[in-house]
Amino acid sequence: MSKSATLTLQQWGNSLAVRIPAAVARSARFKVGQPVEVSVQDSNVLVKAVGEPRLTLAQKLAAFDPYQHGGEAMAATHIGNEIY
């Protein structure tokens, strides 16, 4: 399924920017935070997904399973050179 849109370039700092409409992003299977590669082919600009989206800290913490990752074991007494 191919989607297209006619958009207007906007100024964003010293760069130009264009917003990708939701229908086009869904069709391309883009997700928020996903790394993309922007390249020029002839006089066309190509935006291509190059990986999975980066997780936010909240998403990483929600996915953390202490039983799977083991957690940290704290000794109840001083060990080795830890005695002050």
Side-chain angles (χ1 to χ4, degrees):
M1 174 163 104
S2 179
K3 300 282 182 181
S4 67
T6 302
L7 307 169
T8 303
L9 289 172
Q10 302 290 324
Q11 188 77 36
W12 189 6
N14 290 330
S15 301
L16 295 176
V18 103
R19 289 182 184 227
I20 300 173
V24 174
R26 276 193 302 274
S27 182
R29 295 188 178 113
F30 285 171
K31 299 201 178 0
V32 173
Q34 183 171 25
V36 294
E37 177 184 293
V38 179
S39 60
V40 176
Q41 293 181 351
D42 299 321
S43 62
N44 300 312
V45 176
L46 176 67
V47 180
K48 181 171 103 174
V50 292
E52 293 299 316
R54 290 179 133 178
L55 297 178
T56 65
L57 178 58
Q59 291 169 324
K60 289 178 184 179
L61 290 173
F64 181 76
D65 180 4
Y67 294 107
Q68 179 182 359
H69 300 291
E72 184 175 337
M74 298 296 291
T77 61
H78 297 291
I79 299 173
N81 293 328
E82 295 178 350
I83 301 172
Y84 299 106

